[in-house]
Amino acid sequence: MPSAERFAALQTIQRRRPAAVQAPSALQDIWASDVFTLDRMKEALPRSVFKSIQATIREGGRLDPTVADAVASAMKDWATSRGALYYAHVFYPLTNLSAEKHDGFIVPKGDGRAITEFTGKLLVQGEPDGSSFPNGGLRSTFEARGYTAWDVTSPAWLMRTPNGVTLCIPTVFVSWTGEALDKKTPLLRSNAAVNAQARRVLKLLGEKEVAPINSSCGAEQEYFLVDNAFMALRPDLQLSGRSLFGAPPAKGQQFDDHYFGAIPERVQVFMQDVEDQLYRLGVPAKTRHNEVAPGQFEIAPVHEAANVATDHQQLIMTVLKSTAKRHGFTCLLHEKPFAGVNGSGKHVNWSIGNSTQGNLLDPGKTPHENMQFLLFCGAVIRGVHQYGPLMRAAIATASNDHRLGANEAPPAIISVYLGSQLEDVFNQIKAGQLKSSTSGGVMQLGVDSLPEFPKDAGDRNRTSPFAFTGNRFEFRAVGSGQSVAGPLVVLNTVLADSLGWIADQLESCLAKGETIEQASFAALQRITQENGAVIFGGDGYSSQWHELAVKERGLENLRTSADALPVLKREAIRDLFHRQNVLSPVELESRFEVYAEQYILAIEVEARLSLRLARTVIYPAVSAYLGELAGSLQEQEAIGLSPSKAVAQQIAALNQQLLDRAGSLEAAMAAAPHGAEAHMRHCADQLMVRMGELREAVDGLEALVDDAAWPLPTYQEMLFVR
Ligand code: ADP
Ligand code: MG
């Protein structure tokens, strides 16, 4: 029998009915209806203006101010005709959230009237009071102000809330001196870097026509839904996004009966509501299903240009959270809300391509396409080997640390999974001769065709952090709460750098009179010889791999963010970002500062919360229960029974241990050293460990104390009741 508060919560949930949503609208009626699409622009603008903006979108570059005025006016007319009174420049500061500054279209006139107005200047540039956004010292060194500037390559949309309709303009956020204060600016720069270097390689391969090359991203988003009646009783979930205490339930995910099982009705209605809104926003949500853990689900959109996918990914997270509230749920995007239960990731599917050559990571039908594919794939392999620690740093957050290497998510060691066929091809290249892996005949590079690589789920290696899946790579170690921008920036930059290296190799071989086939083979052979150590097709969860990877392959195992984030300070990393014009040394330094601070803050909040909950919620509840228990034992003795006192003594001992461990956590909290790196280490080695010890005492108590006296909703309730 649960405690009174928990019982009331259970009753509330039992009375809940699926929220009323309208029948799903016909897709053609709602698709992108709240987006100022290219088609809408074309309709609303004079031909010459539209042509100009189209060229800016395609080729990048500055927007002509007169064009901006015309676009702004058309955008405003469209938005106000749909009820918008406000506009907002949306940007992505160095948190994983979106930020917006809202302004009215309204302009009061001297004669008491008011009109709406929106100029090109307002569209193109905003000046949010950004001083409260994390900047890692960038703005204090340079200039306090930050500016937002319209990212023309991503369309504006309408955000509908109970407060009204707002026109949202996707922007980049930079300091007065042009330093990137956000996640979007480096993403755009990294796309430019890939474009430049991939173009070089394609030209060397003899391509005459090469359209602008862009990266694509399709991100699978995992999340948990927990009923709000339980949330109200769990300050830890509210404040830190994860349960700091909670004994494992009798039934966990061992039965695998949740994965792809029938979606509960209340959740289905929620999902339909989410999709309806996303379709209006032009977000191509495509798959939905239950995930491995009870209470865990997934939504995945179809892949899009990385830049648009980043905006859309942020919208997905926003819509998931706001919609959940309306359905009586809280949507948890934390990577590990429940210890011992599967965590949530965000698999970032990534490829690069253009309109003339198509997907450059797709093995083609002709030998020429195959050579091109092997070079691009080789470039990725080289990049991952040389910059694996940077990829680890790009996914380093306090919350994702709980997931990586936790025997259900990829390890913190970054390796590449290619699948047996492709791995075989690269092994042959390494050995100096390429034979067709299917027929066994000799395959000269560029003469024969590669076999098709399986794209089906059967050949997937779930234990790999980074896997080739037929025509793209899947970065599986990314955290569910992260912006995809950071990981994409790293992938693009690393690839651009490797492609640059390949282009250099090809150029020097061609200059010596070699054929392009010979030159390509030589480059690929060097890649496999120098970087083959990163290719791994075995079980990434196993302890043997951890040994082998570090001792024999020389790969790094950066277990925590305290190990991984300092990678950003390495000279090689600074040079890489600088060389590719993605982040200046100062910008990179600022990112280290910000991410280190976020890591420290997250863990210190959890430590304070653990302490508070243990002392003010758990300890009093257990003490009161012990008092009752003692009274009952006395009464039993009074009537001549001889009750066992063992359980009471065990509980009393654990409750004392709780106090002791709380004291030791508190002492550690007071002893934080100065300096970001030392402070991070302290969080990882001291606070996390002591929080774990405190938790052990609390969870031990939960398993002994009368259910009716236990104040916090249990794992079983939160995971299974909805
Ligand atoms: P899974 O079997 O992992 O669920 P899906 O086929 O559902 O795979 O695809 C997962 C994601 O990968 C989707 O967002 C999909 O659009 C995306 N994706 C597919 N092809 C590519 C590609 N070439 N580049 C980037 N993302 C892609
Ligand atoms: Mg997947």
Side-chain angles (χ1 to χ4, degrees):
M1 188 63 185
S3 66
E5 298 82 5
R6 283 163 46 217
F7 187 71
L10 286 165
Q11 279 188 315
T12 305
I13 297 165
Q14 210 158 45
R15 280 195 300 268
R16 288 202 202 279
R17 294 290 165 259
V21 287
Q22 297 123 347
S25 325
L27 190 58
Q28 70 269 25
D29 293 342
I30 57 168
W31 175 249
S33 60
D34 282 342
V35 184
F36 194 57
T37 55
L38 268 185
D39 283 348
R40 291 203 166 95
M41 244 190 243
K42 190 172 178 181
E43 243 169 61
L45 293 172
R47 229 176 94 89
S48 61
V49 174
F50 179 71
K51 281 245 136 76
S52 160
I53 187 117
Q54 209 180 17
T56 311
I57 293 172
R58 215 179 294 131
E59 279 126 43
R62 292 243 169 271
L63 192 66
D64 176 344
T66 58
V67 168
D69 271 334
V71 177
S73 163
M75 213 185 254
K76 188 211 72 181
D77 289 346
W78 171 78
T80 51
S81 76
R82 280 163 173 75
L85 287 176
Y86 282 82
Y87 69 92
H89 276 200
V90 177
F91 55 100
Y92 309 104
L94 298 180
T95 62
N96 286 307
L97 307 171
S98 311
E100 315 163 349
K101 185 197 180 213
H102 293 217
D103 276 297
F105 287 124
I106 187 167
V107 180
K109 288 279 150 186
D111 58 4
R113 289 179 310 134
I115 59 161
T116 57
E117 192 177 84
F118 193 46
T119 60
K121 195 160 163 271
L122 293 173
L123 164 66
V124 170
Q125 194 176 88
E127 195 186 317
D129 173 21
S131 53
S132 51
F133 293 105
N135 60 74
L138 264 186
R139 263 194 320 250
S140 44
T141 343
F142 292 93
E143 159 73 37
R145 270 175 299 184
Y147 290 94
T148 49
W150 181 29
D151 166 18
V152 191
T153 57
S154 185
W157 69 87
L158 297 177
M159 197 42 134
R160 295 174 188 276
T161 68
N163 257 335
V165 186
T166 304
L167 170 68
C168 292
I169 299 157
T171 64
V172 295
F173 182 39
V174 293
S175 76
W176 184 71
T177 40
E179 263 82 22
L181 298 170
D182 67 344
K183 293 190 180 243
K184 190 66 158 309
T185 309
L187 179 61
L188 297 177
R189 292 180 189 157
S190 75
N191 264 331
V194 164
N195 179 41
Q197 301 305 328
R199 179 172 298 273
R200 278 180 70 200
V201 172
L202 289 173
K203 292 273 175 189
L204 287 166
L205 289 176
E207 294 291 344
K208 297 277 175 301
E209 204 192 331
V210 181
I213 296 150
N214 205 344
S215 53
S216 293
C217 163
E220 304 160 58
Q221 171 77 55
E222 295 176 337
Y223 60 93
F224 279 86
L225 289 177
V226 173
D227 196 284
N228 281 338
F230 292 138
M231 284 298 292
L233 300 173
R234 295 284 321 210
D236 48 353
L237 279 179
Q238 288 169 32
L239 280 187
S240 71
R242 77 177 179 106
S243 51
L244 298 170
F245 303 125
K251 177 182 171 177
Q253 62 194 49
Q254 308 90 329
F255 296 100
D256 277 337
D257 49 1
H258 182 68
Y259 197 38
F260 286 109
I263 301 173
E265 191 186 352
R266 244 180 96 202
V267 178
Q268 257 190 56
V269 174
F270 157 80
M271 286 176 168
Q272 188 198 313
D273 195 356
V274 166
E275 284 154 20
D276 189 89
Q277 294 170 69
L278 290 177
Y279 291 157
R280 288 172 199 275
L281 292 166
V283 180
K286 188 157 165 74
T287 10
R288 50 149 107 147
H289 57 77
N290 291 350
E291 259 303 324
V292 178
Q296 191 188 27
F297 307 91
E298 178 183 303
I299 181 169
V302 178
H303 61 103
E304 301 176 278
N307 166 31
V308 176
T310 299
D311 290 352
H312 284 174
Q313 231 296 306
Q314 296 296 123
L315 279 175
I316 289 176
M317 294 198 283
T318 307
V319 168
L320 280 174
K321 282 196 209 157
S322 61
T323 310
K325 274 191 206 144
R326 285 207 299 279
H327 292 257
F329 290 121
T330 293
C331 174
L332 297 174
L333 296 176
H334 192 286
E335 284 78 3
K336 195 80 175 179
F338 303 100
V341 173
N342 201 62
S344 296
K346 176 138 52 196
H347 299 175
V348 171
N349 292 271
W350 164 80
S351 64
I352 68 161
N354 65 4
S355 58
T356 39
Q357 277 73 33
N359 178 356
L360 293 164
L361 291 173
D362 201 345
K365 296 257 180 293
T366 66
H368 174 78
E369 284 170 349
N370 285 329
M371 180 163 70
Q372 179 191 296
F373 161 72
L374 285 176
L375 282 173
F376 278 85
C377 193
V380 174
I381 293 168
R382 179 182 178 277
V384 179
H385 182 242
Q386 309 237 325
Y387 298 108
L390 174 61
M391 287 169 65
R392 171 66 183 92
I395 52 167
T397 62
S399 47
N400 205 24
D401 280 359
H402 289 282
R403 182 178 154 257
L404 298 178
N407 253 339
E408 38 106 347
I413 306 165
I414 304 292
S415 63
V416 190
Y417 172 76
L418 294 178
S420 46
Q421 252 180 334
L422 188 55
E423 191 176 329
D424 183 44
V425 170
F426 275 104
N427 275 334
Q428 291 179 39
I429 292 174
K430 188 176 178 181
Q433 201 184 37
L434 191 58
K435 297 174 183 174
S436 161
S437 49
T438 43
S439 66
V442 175
M443 181 167 71
Q444 291 301 322
L445 194 63
V447 174
D448 225 331
S449 244
L450 283 179
E452 266 202 49
F453 296 106
K455 290 174 188 153
D456 70 315
D459 198 36
R460 296 284 172 85
N461 182 330
R462 296 182 63 89
T463 69
S464 176
F466 193 71
F468 181 69
T469 51
N471 62 356
R472 61 186 185 273
F473 282 89
E474 185 175 2
F475 195 3
R476 303 181 61 252
V478 179
S480 53
Q482 276 195 272
S483 158
V484 295
L488 288 172
V489 166
V490 167
L491 293 177
N492 285 341
T493 306
V494 154
L495 176 58
D497 205 62
S498 274
L499 289 171
W501 180 87
I502 288 177
D504 291 346
Q505 296 293 309
L506 296 183
E507 276 165 5
S508 84
C509 286
L510 291 174
K512 279 186 243 152
E514 289 180 17
T515 66
I516 186 68
E517 283 82 9
Q518 288 167 327
S520 300
F521 192 89
L524 280 170
Q525 195 176 18
R526 257 193 81 181
I527 287 177
T528 50
Q529 285 167 351
E530 291 166 13
N531 304 284
V534 80
I535 301 170
F536 179 64
D539 179 4
Y541 295 171
S542 69
S543 53
Q544 292 95 300
W545 169 235
H546 284 69
E547 279 263 325
L548 176 81
V550 176
K551 294 213 176 111
E552 284 173 37
R553 305 257 192 127
L555 305 179
E556 290 182 63
N557 183 7
L558 303 170
R559 274 191 332 100
T560 70
S561 298
D563 304 298
L565 285 175
V567 169
L568 299 180
K569 302 191 89 166
R570 293 183 187 171
E571 207 177 309
I573 302 304
R574 200 168 53 222
D575 292 348
L576 166 75
F577 280 118
H578 194 50
R579 191 162 61 235
Q580 295 304 329
N581 284 319
V582 173
L583 288 172
S584 71
V586 190
E587 287 172 330
L588 183 62
E589 174 70 24
S590 76
R591 272 139 188 90
F592 168 76
E593 297 292 335
V594 170
Y595 300 146
E597 189 185 336
Q598 282 168 0
Y599 173 76
I600 292 164
L601 280 178
I603 290 180
E604 289 187 340
V605 164
E606 288 184 354
R608 280 198 293 275
L609 206 55
S610 291
L611 204 58
R612 179 73 66 87
L613 279 176
R615 282 178 175 164
T616 67
V617 177
I618 307 295
Y619 178 77
V622 174
S623 298
Y625 171 64
L626 275 173
E628 270 173 46
L629 200 55
S632 139
L633 293 174
Q634 263 178 11
E635 281 167 25
Q636 291 179 49
E637 272 172 350
I639 58 169
L641 298 174
S642 47
S644 163
K645 294 174 188 157
V647 173
Q649 280 159 349
Q650 208 183 339
I651 293 173
L654 270 178
N655 215 25
Q656 182 57 48
Q657 195 177 60
L658 176 154
L659 283 187
D660 295 344
R661 292 182 173 183
S664 126
L665 174 60
E666 191 174 38
M669 284 163 68
H674 289 290
E677 281 183 62
H679 201 162
M680 282 199 291
R681 273 260 70 85
H682 179 75
C683 288
D685 300 342
Q686 295 295 323
L687 301 192
M688 289 302 294
V689 172
R690 292 180 199 212
M691 271 199 289
E693 288 165 356
L694 177 57
R695 177 180 188 141
E696 216 175 66
V698 173
D699 292 358
L701 284 165
E702 184 181 336
L704 290 173
V705 167
D706 183 356
D707 194 31
W710 197 255
L712 299 178
T714 63
Y715 268 29
Q716 184 196 313
E717 288 162 347
M718 293 187 290
L719 288 169
F720 290 96
V721 181
R722 72 184 52 79

